[in-house]
């Protein structure tokens, strides 16, 4: 083999190697977005399809009797909620709730009496037939905590709150009421929200979980997927009607 032929062969091999090492251009293809139907939300247990619930406010919360309360009102509303729990909760937790409620009444009797008197005076300062307004307010409050579709969750919350009230000092009761009244209210607002979800859309876009081949570059654009917004369908609450047959002592 001549020296000239050897040099040409080396040069040719170098060019060939250069050609084979050049990176390939790979098309960047994003996985398709697939509209996947999902099962319709389930109507909450115990709720008829025609149930009327409050219309959600602009901030996503629901109007309840426990909004915009003074310190004394929060204490008395806490007492009312636990009173309903002692009257309505059944099952394994029944005796524990009743015992816890009676213990709270005994330990906090002066504070509760002062809270009730102060709360009533707030109505009285409004003039007119304040007693009727106060009684109507208490009826709406008891009716709110008596809504049966949320009772299981409410009774569980009441049991927890009563357990935490053991050993509570009189000075600590107002702060305890402010902290735990929302806990007792939450089962009902969660129920309202579940009804609104049930009345909303049942199809949403999802990003499919696909095994992406190595041919997709690391800088492949990703399409942002957002869940379709639910449109709550609610109706105003009608005038409340008593649901519990309570003697007058529960308001004292």
């Amino acid at each position: 083999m001549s020296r000239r032929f050897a040099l040409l062969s080396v040069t040719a091999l170098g060019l060939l190697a250069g050609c084979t090492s050049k990176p390939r251009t790979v098309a960047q293809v994003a996985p398709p977005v697939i509209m996947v139907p999902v099962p319709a939300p389930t109507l909450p247990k115990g709720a008829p399809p025609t149930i009327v619930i409050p219309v959600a406010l602009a901030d996503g919360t629901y109007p309840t009797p426990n909004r915009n309360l003074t310190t004394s009102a929060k204490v008395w509303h806490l007492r009312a909620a636990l009173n309903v729990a002692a009257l309505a909760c059944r099952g394994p937790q029944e005796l524990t709730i009743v015992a816890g409620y009676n213990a709270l009444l005994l330990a906090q009797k002066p504070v509760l009496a002062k809270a009730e008197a102060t709360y009533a005076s707030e109505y009285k300062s409004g003039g007119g037939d304040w007693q009727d307004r106060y009684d109507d307010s208490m009826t709406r409050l008891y009716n709110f905590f008596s809504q049966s579709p949320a009772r299981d969750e409410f009774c569980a919350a009441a049991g927890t709150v009563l357990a935490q009230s053991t050993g509570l000092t009189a000075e600590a009761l107002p702060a305890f009421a402010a902290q735990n009244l929302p806990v007792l209210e939450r089962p009902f607002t969660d129920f309202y929200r579940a009804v609104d979800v049930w009345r909303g859309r049942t199809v949403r876009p999802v990003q499919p979980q696909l095994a992406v081949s190595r041919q997709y570059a690391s800088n492949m654009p990703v399409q942002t997927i957002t869940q379709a917004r639910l449109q709550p369908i609610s109706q105003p609450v009608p005038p409340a009607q008593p649901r519990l047959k309570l003697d007058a002592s529960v308001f004292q």
Side-chain angles (χ1 to χ4, degrees):
M1 177 183 297
S2 68
R3 183 177 179 183
R4 180 180 179 185
F5 181 77
L7 291 174
L8 289 174
S9 299
V10 171
T11 303
L13 289 173
L15 292 174
L16 180 61
C19 291
T20 57
S21 63
K22 183 179 180 180
R24 293 179 299 171
T25 302
V26 180
Q28 299 179 4
V29 181
V33 175
I34 303 174
M35 297 298 293
V36 180
V38 297
T42 304
L43 181 65
K45 180 183 67 176
T50 56
I51 189 169
V52 176
I53 64 171
V55 177
L57 302 175
D59 61 0
T61 62
Y62 291 88
T64 75
N66 301 301
R67 298 175 67 89
N68 304 319
L69 299 178
T70 63
T71 299
S72 295
K74 291 176 183 177
V75 171
W76 197 243
H77 279 221
L78 178 80
R79 188 264 191 193
L82 296 175
N83 189 182
V84 173
L87 289 168
C89 294
R90 297 294 179 263
Q93 79 274 37
E94 177 182 355
L95 296 180
T96 302
I97 288 177
V98 171
Y101 175 68
N102 288 336
L104 179 68
L105 292 184
L106 182 62
Q108 304 292 344
K109 185 175 181 179
V111 182
L112 291 171
K114 181 179 179 181
E116 195 277 338
T118 303
Y119 190 25
S121 69
E122 294 171 5
Y123 278 83
K124 190 173 183 178
S125 65
D129 198 347
W130 70 270
Q131 187 68 57
D132 281 351
R133 297 198 308 274
Y134 178 77
D135 290 344
D136 288 345
S137 175
M138 289 298 99
T139 298
R140 288 192 297 273
L141 179 63
Y142 273 76
N143 286 342
F144 174 80
F145 285 115
S146 300
Q147 296 175 91
S148 58
R151 182 161 298 160
D152 290 346
E153 293 76 11
F154 168 64
C155 291
T160 299
V161 170
L162 285 168
Q164 294 173 351
S165 71
T166 303
L168 193 67
T169 65
E171 294 76 16
L173 182 58
F176 180 82
Q179 179 180 357
N180 287 282
L181 186 58
V183 174
L184 296 171
E185 180 185 78
R186 189 171 301 122
F188 303 98
T189 54
D190 284 350
F191 166 71
Y192 295 157
R193 189 165 290 107
V195 172
D196 271 339
V197 169
W198 175 75
R199 289 173 172 166
R201 298 176 182 174
T202 57
V203 177
R204 60 183 175 87
V206 297
Q207 179 68 47
Q209 300 297 319
L210 300 177
V212 181
S213 170
R214 291 184 179 180
Q215 71 179 14
Y216 293 105
S218 60
N219 63 346
M220 179 179 65
V222 178
Q223 184 174 359
T224 302
I225 306 299
T226 58
Q227 182 174 354
R229 297 180 60 187
L230 297 176
Q231 300 298 323
I233 305 173
S234 304
Q235 302 176 31
V237 176
Q241 298 296 326
R243 297 180 183 175
L244 286 178
K245 295 182 179 179
L246 307 175
D247 59 58
S249 64
V250 299
F251 299 108
Q252 300 176 358

